[in-house]
Each structure stands twice: as C-alpha cells, then as structure tokens.
C-alpha cells in the first residue's frame, strides 16, 4: 500500500483540506453558486506514479456524491484534464464507472470504502469494495503522463467529507 496525501496547492478555495492532508470537506455555504461539481473541484494527490504497482483506500461514507480514482497529467501539462480520468463515482444515487468522458452505471453494494489498484507497467487499474472484499471493475489504459490519485465531489449542494484511509497490514 502507498501512503497517499492530498496536494494542498491544488485545493479549490471552497473546500477544506485537513491538517494531515488526508481528507477534504465540502461545505455548500462556502460555494453557493456551484450546483454541479466538475473538473474544477478535483483535488489531486501529491503522489505521482509513473511506474510500479500502487494500492490505496478512500473512505467515501461521509458523502452522498463523490468520484475517486486516477488522473493522468500529460508530461507537457501542469493541470489535470477531464479527458484523462478513470474512476468510480456515486452520482444522484447511482454508482458509475468513469472512463474519460464516458460514465457507465454499475450495480454494486453500498460503498463506504473504495480500494484503488494501479499497475503502471501493465496499464491496468481496478476498484474494490473494501468492506465486501470484492472487485468492482478492472480495465486497461495507455498511460503516457504522470498519474495522480484524485478526489472529486459530484454534488456541491450537500455537505460531504472524503478521506484517504490507512490500509491495514495484511498477514
């Protein structure tokens, strides 16, 4: 498991990052003009992956609208692009797999913790239901830039918290 932290330089002003850089909180009163969160509300991890295998977990139980996963930042671009995003989301009560501009609904049990596995060499990524110990989705992609974890709220009208969870040691 990798120790993921959120990048304090990348947090929109209406989101509150915890002192330990492990969680982000949304307070709708701080962003009254925003109804739907989009790529401008993404919080990237400070970690950058270009090789190897990586696993981390996100606690999404504190939000009714979220997206978590991986973002690719092209080598010549300092900002994330909505088109290079792979993740899983809860939006309007529906779970969805996010692949760039495509959203595909999936059936799965209620998710409180999502595990994210990334294999840069093989170009695979997977999402897991941690509490149910089951794989939700695996896919491949061609990564050409820097990969970073991300958190995003999909509903900016409701309070929410998303946390990076410590991964317990496995025997």
């Amino acid at each position: 498991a990798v120790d993921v932290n959120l990048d304090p330089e990348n947090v929109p002003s209406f989101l509150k990052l915890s002192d330990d850089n492990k969680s982000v909180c949304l307070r709708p009163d701080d962003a009254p003009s925003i109804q739907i969160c989009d790529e401008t509300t993404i919080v990237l991890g400070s970690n950058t992956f270009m090789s190897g295998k990586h696993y981390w977990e996100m606690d999404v139980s504190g939000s009714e609208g979220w997206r978590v996963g991986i973002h690719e930042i092209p080598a010549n671009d300092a900002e994330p692009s909505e088109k290079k995003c792979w993740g899983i989301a809860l939006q309007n009560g529906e779970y969805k797999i996010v692949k760039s501009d495509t959203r595909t609904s999936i059936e799965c049990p209620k998710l409180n913790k999502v595990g994210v596995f990334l294999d840069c060499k093989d170009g695979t990524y997977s999402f897991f239901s941690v509490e149910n110990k089951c794989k939700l989705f695996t896919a491949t992609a061609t990564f050409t830039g820097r990969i970073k974890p991300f958190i995003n709220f999909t509903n900016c009208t409701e309070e929410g918290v998303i946390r990076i969870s410590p991964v317990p040691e496995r025997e």
Side-chain angles (χ1 to χ4, degrees), residues 3-11 15-25 42-47 56 58 68-69 148-153 162-164:
D3 183 24
V4 171
N5 289 297
L6 298 171
D7 183 356
E9 302 296 317
N10 177 259
V11 180
L15 297 177
K16 171 78 171 121
L17 183 65
S18 64
D19 291 340
D20 66 357
N21 296 342
K22 295 286 186 187
S23 67
V24 65
C25 179
I42 287 173
V43 179
L44 294 174
S46 57
N47 311 64
W56 63 95
M58 308 287 229
V68 297
K148 289 183 167 281
F150 82 89
I151 289 174
N152 181 221
F153 290 96
I162 302 173
R163 291 183 176 82
I164 298 166

Side-chain angles (χ1 to χ4, degrees), residues 40-105:
T40 63
T41 63
I42 287 173
V43 179
L44 294 174
S46 57
N47 311 64
T48 299
F49 308 121
M50 295 179 73
S51 63
K53 296 178 182 180
H54 311 278
Y55 178 80
W56 63 95
E57 294 177 355
M58 308 287 229
D59 180 345
V60 294
S61 63
S63 176
E64 292 301 314
W66 49 264
R67 213 168 30 142
V68 297
I70 56 174
H71 241 283
E72 181 177 50
I73 300 174
N76 60 353
D77 191 358
E79 295 298 317
S81 164
E82 178 72 10
K83 298 193 186 327
K84 293 287 190 166
C85 165
W86 301 273
I88 188 165
L90 173 61
Q91 190 167 11
N92 300 322
E94 241 186 302
Y95 291 106
K96 298 181 180 196
I97 294 298
V98 178
K99 290 163 93 175
S100 298
D101 292 332
T102 306
R103 311 280 190 272
T104 306
S105 295

Side-chain angles (χ1 to χ4, degrees), residues 114-143:
V114 175
V116 181
F117 177 75
L118 169 66
D119 184 334
C120 294
K121 180 182 175 192
D122 290 344
T124 60
Y125 58 94
S126 301
F127 299 100
F128 299 86
S129 169
V130 174
E131 62 270 18
N132 292 301
K133 298 179 180 166
C134 66
K135 188 186 308 181
L136 301 168
F137 185 79
T138 296
T140 58
T142 303
F143 304 126

